Amino acid sequence: MDWINAIMQGILVGGLYALFAAGLSLIFGVMRLVNIAHGDFIVAGSYLAWSIVHATGLNPLVSLVLVIPIAAVFGYVLQMVIFNHTLGKDILPPLLVSFGLSVILQNGLLQIFTADSRKLDAGALETASFSLLPGVSLGHFPLLMFATSVAVIAGLQYMFYRTSLGRAFRATSDDKEVALLMGLDNRKVYAAAMALCMAVVALAGVFLAIRSNFDPFMGPGRLIFGFEAVIIGGLGNLWGTLVGGVILGVAQGIGAEIDPGWQVLAGHIAFLLVLAFRPRGLFPRMN
């Protein structure tokens, strides 16, 4: 039962990794931007939630009603003020800008909040669980995290293929020159995509802060998990991103069951194996 328990816990953790990856997949799919600062934005979302909770006394999950809109507005402004001026045929300028933002965010958070690790307290929800099988228990919070991840990806999928905003995203991604001729303002379309990405990032940041301690320098690690989930699932495939997160989580769970020191390494090995046999991921949709 220990192995089954490890696999089940890995599947649920995979939901969080899918949330890390969904924003990356969205931004890369719409504007081909590889955002090096993505993991640091997740950690910044954790600190934003921590600040709001300590200022207002709200439950961490209730704080999402403030954290998500603030993050979305920040994303819109960030895209309009900084990233839109760097996008072009050369992918290097936005890459360097996002790297610079990563460094600034890490040092800014260190200056404001110090290097002490912090955590959000969600009360009894964190420890509540039920027994699925003898020796296999599922926590309410991990289940909530996984269900939220599925709902977010389903929502993004619906938005992409059933709404006018999704059509604008796809048109701009396919050919931004033609989209511009058809009356779409590429700058605003990109800003809307970044706002949506930051809303997902804020959600991931709050779940991360409830699940574990966080500090100013753990962003790059979250970025790697997000990248690995995106690559395993296949670029441009949101449901593939969920599958990639689950595979990564299960690999880490099995690795931890073999030896706690193998937890992270097992995830990286799973990622390399997928790359070796399916370089474009398991369910690629983007050339």
Side-chain angles (χ1 to χ4, degrees):
M1 283 299 171
D2 288 345
W3 291 99
I4 296 176
N5 192 50
I7 291 171
M8 293 302 298
Q9 303 310 322
I11 291 172
L12 298 182
V13 171
L16 180 61
Y17 294 159
L19 277 182
F20 291 167
L24 270 177
S25 186
L26 170 68
I27 289 302
F28 184 83
V30 174
M31 64 184 90
R32 305 294 190 268
L33 169 63
V34 179
N35 186 4
I36 301 295
H38 187 80
D40 299 295
F41 284 134
I42 292 172
V43 176
S46 298
Y47 276 106
L48 175 60
W50 184 88
S51 301
I52 289 174
V53 166
H54 280 75
T56 63
L58 289 173
N59 180 283
L61 292 177
V62 177
S63 73
L64 284 168
V65 298
L66 296 175
V67 175
I68 288 179
I70 292 173
V73 170
F74 171 77
Y76 191 93
V77 173
L78 177 71
Q79 184 67 37
M80 292 294 281
V81 174
I82 296 180
F83 278 123
N84 274 341
H85 298 290
T86 66
L87 294 175
K89 292 182 180 179
D90 189 354
I91 64 169
L92 192 56
L95 196 67
L96 292 176
V97 167
S98 67
F99 176 73
L101 283 174
S102 171
V103 174
I104 291 170
L105 271 174
Q106 289 179 31
N107 287 278
L109 292 174
L110 176 66
Q111 188 69 28
I112 297 170
F113 296 101
T114 75
D116 295 340
S117 64
R118 299 164 197 270
K119 185 179 179 304
L120 286 178
D121 182 5
L125 179 64
E126 291 185 46
T127 55
S129 64
F130 67 93
S131 179
L132 183 65
L133 295 169
V136 179
S137 296
L138 299 183
H140 291 181
F141 178 68
L143 271 177
L144 172 66
M145 205 163 56
F146 186 82
T148 303
S149 174
V150 173
V152 166
I153 289 176
L156 289 175
Q157 189 80 8
Y158 178 85
M159 184 274 299
F160 257 90
Y161 294 100
R162 294 287 187 273
T163 68
S164 57
L165 180 61
R167 285 191 288 274
F169 285 163
R170 285 185 286 129
T172 307
S173 172
D174 288 343
D175 193 325
K176 64 180 182 182
E177 304 292 340
V178 173
L180 190 62
L181 290 174
M182 297 301 291
L184 286 174
D185 187 336
N186 292 345
R187 297 171 68 254
K188 291 182 178 177
V189 172
Y190 290 157
M194 184 60 83
L196 195 57
C197 168
M198 285 299 173
V200 178
V201 160
L203 185 59
V206 172
F207 281 135
L208 171 69
I210 295 173
R211 182 175 177 270
S212 63
N213 289 353
F214 59 95
D215 61 63
F217 296 111
M218 67 184 298
R222 305 320 101 182
L223 174 68
I224 290 174
F225 292 156
F227 265 133
E228 289 181 342
V230 169
I231 299 300
I232 290 173
L235 286 173
N237 189 328
L238 288 168
W239 287 115
T241 297
L242 178 62
V243 174
V246 168
I247 290 174
L248 190 62
V250 170
Q252 290 185 354
I254 292 174
E257 189 63 27
I258 297 171
D259 186 301
W262 277 67
Q263 181 178 4
V264 176
L265 179 61
H268 296 330
I269 291 174
F271 167 66
L272 287 175
L273 286 175
V274 172
L275 267 187
F277 295 100
R278 297 291 297 265
R280 295 177 60 228
L282 297 177
F283 313 103
R285 278 191 178 175
M286 189 174 296
N287 293 319

